[in-house]
Amino acid sequence: MQKLIEKANVLTEALPWIKRFYGKTIVIKYGGNAMVEERLKESFARDIILMRYIGLNPVVVHGGGPQIGQVLEAMGIETRFVQGMRVTDAATMGVVEMVLGGKVNKEIVANLNRHGGRAVGLTGKDGGLITARKLEMKQINPDTLTPEIIDIGMVGEVEQINPEIIEALEQNNFIPVIAPVGIGADGRSYNINADLVAGRIAGALRAEKLILLTDVDGIRGKDGKLISTIDHCRVAELIADGTLTGGMIPKANCCVEAVRAGVGKTHIIDGRMEHACLLEIFTDKGIGTAIADFENPRA
């Protein structure tokens, strides 16, 4: 009986959060181990379906770097990275589109639908969702000590988001699942970082939340303790003093840009934990690190 009471208490704790977020859009960037381990894939699918059935509008943006790497290796196509970005020539871009827009996207859609959802797979090329431009990367020439542009091929950045197709799907109770491939004014396809795409989509939709599923439990301070909530204005300080390093920097900056674009609150959470999204949204304490605008709070 005690276990049954505990379950009831969990539902009671979730009730005010369900009421608060009913009808709101939640953008989730799906990546890392949560996309690989079967146990976590099943947990994620159930979480998303539950959100939809209780009145939230989840939008999923996914990555797929490891899957792309595996296919490139199998095809004998060399992979090279510059400043953490995959150099993407025409052959590599073909594989990126095949893996992200085909294999990975459709697997996620199928898994959601198998658990009772109504998911629809998209890339940024569908409905003019993501207009992209070529990403210009710069590095300092060690000989001249001046910046020079590095050509890393068909890697892009978001120029504009047209959210109409997402809004139409939401209005008809579908769950959009988006692969981060955009199209340029020249008709070329561009591979775009999934975190950045998720942030820009959240901003365009004025989403209530942006959640980045990662393989870490959030942002930790100099003392090693998890920072549960931080104002978006303080992120630059954490980068400057070396608290934030490596791959956490672009994730944190993505959250800051989303907040400035009107997203209610952004979250960096550990996708290796079962039901991570539900624990973040529907519990009083939450998990991970929330980045928000303290002066203009929304959620």
Side-chain angles (χ1 to χ4, degrees):
M1 182 61 68
Q2 185 59 39
K3 289 185 178 180
L4 294 176
I5 293 173
E6 289 173 1
K7 289 183 179 180
N9 287 335
V10 169
L11 293 173
T12 301
E13 181 181 347
L15 180 58
W17 303 108
I18 293 172
K19 290 171 63 178
R20 175 178 289 192
F21 301 131
Y22 184 85
K24 304 296 185 180
T25 295
I26 312 291
V27 177
I28 302 110
K29 189 278 177 151
Y30 183 38
N33 280 319
M35 281 183 63
V36 177
E37 294 184 26
E38 289 301 322
R39 169 181 60 89
L40 297 175
K41 287 162 68 173
E42 296 298 303
S43 168
F44 176 80
R46 291 191 180 99
D47 288 1
I48 297 299
I49 301 309
L50 178 60
M51 287 184 210
R52 193 68 196 85
Y53 271 102
I54 60 178
L56 282 68
N57 296 317
V59 176
V60 178
V61 179
H62 65 83
Q67 293 89 334
I68 292 169
Q70 290 170 5
V71 174
L72 288 170
E73 183 178 358
M75 296 178 66
I77 300 175
E78 181 183 1
T79 298
R80 188 163 60 91
F81 290 88
V82 174
Q83 297 180 21
M85 304 293 287
R86 188 188 304 273
V87 177
T88 307
D89 58 13
T92 301
M93 190 65 219
V95 172
V96 168
E97 287 203 81
M98 177 181 69
V99 175
L100 290 184
K103 185 178 186 296
V104 174
N105 187 273
K106 301 312 174 191
E107 284 180 356
I108 297 168
V109 168
N111 199 27
L112 290 170
N113 290 342
R114 185 167 61 85
H115 286 84
R118 301 177 69 208
V120 175
L122 305 168
T123 74
K125 299 169 74 173
D126 293 309
L129 173 58
I130 304 173
T131 303
R133 57 176 174 262
K134 186 180 176 68
L135 175 66
E136 286 193 355
M137 290 190 66
K138 296 181 180 180
Q139 71 176 11
I140 301 298
N141 185 308
D143 297 323
T144 63
L145 299 180
T146 57
E148 60 182 16
I149 295 175
I150 311 168
D151 187 355
I152 56 172
M154 302 166 77
V155 177
E157 59 183 344
V158 176
E159 186 167 44
Q160 185 176 353
I161 298 291
N162 175 12
E164 289 181 0
I165 189 169
I166 298 176
E167 293 167 344
L169 289 170
E170 287 183 337
Q171 289 167 9
N172 288 280
N173 299 318
F174 288 101
I175 301 169
V177 179
I178 302 164
V181 175
I183 187 164
D186 55 3
R188 292 186 177 183
S189 299
Y190 288 96
N191 181 21
I192 312 173
N193 178 277
D195 290 334
L196 301 181
V197 169
R200 289 293 299 272
I201 287 176
L205 293 169
R206 289 189 63 81
E208 195 69 20
K209 289 182 179 292
L210 165 67
I211 298 176
L212 304 184
L213 290 177
T214 68
D215 289 339
V216 297
D217 54 3
I219 297 174
R220 291 189 174 273
K222 286 286 190 182
D223 58 3
K225 294 181 179 179
L226 183 68
I227 300 173
S228 60
T229 307
I230 186 171
D231 185 78
H232 72 297
C233 293
R234 285 205 56 225
V235 169
E237 298 173 17
L238 298 183
I239 295 172
D241 69 12
T243 301
L244 279 174
T245 59
M248 190 58 73
I249 292 176
K251 291 183 185 299
N253 281 333
C254 163
C255 290
V256 170
E257 290 176 12
V259 169
R260 289 174 177 166
V263 176
K265 189 176 284 187
T266 62
H267 307 263
I268 299 173
I269 68 174
D270 191 347
R272 299 169 299 180
M273 182 182 298
E274 285 191 70
H275 306 299
C277 290
L278 298 187
L279 291 169
E280 180 55 59
I281 297 171
F282 298 122
T283 62
D284 294 340
K285 290 185 177 180
I287 60 174
T289 299
I291 299 174
D293 183 347
F294 286 6
E295 292 186 3
N296 301 287
R298 268 179 53 190

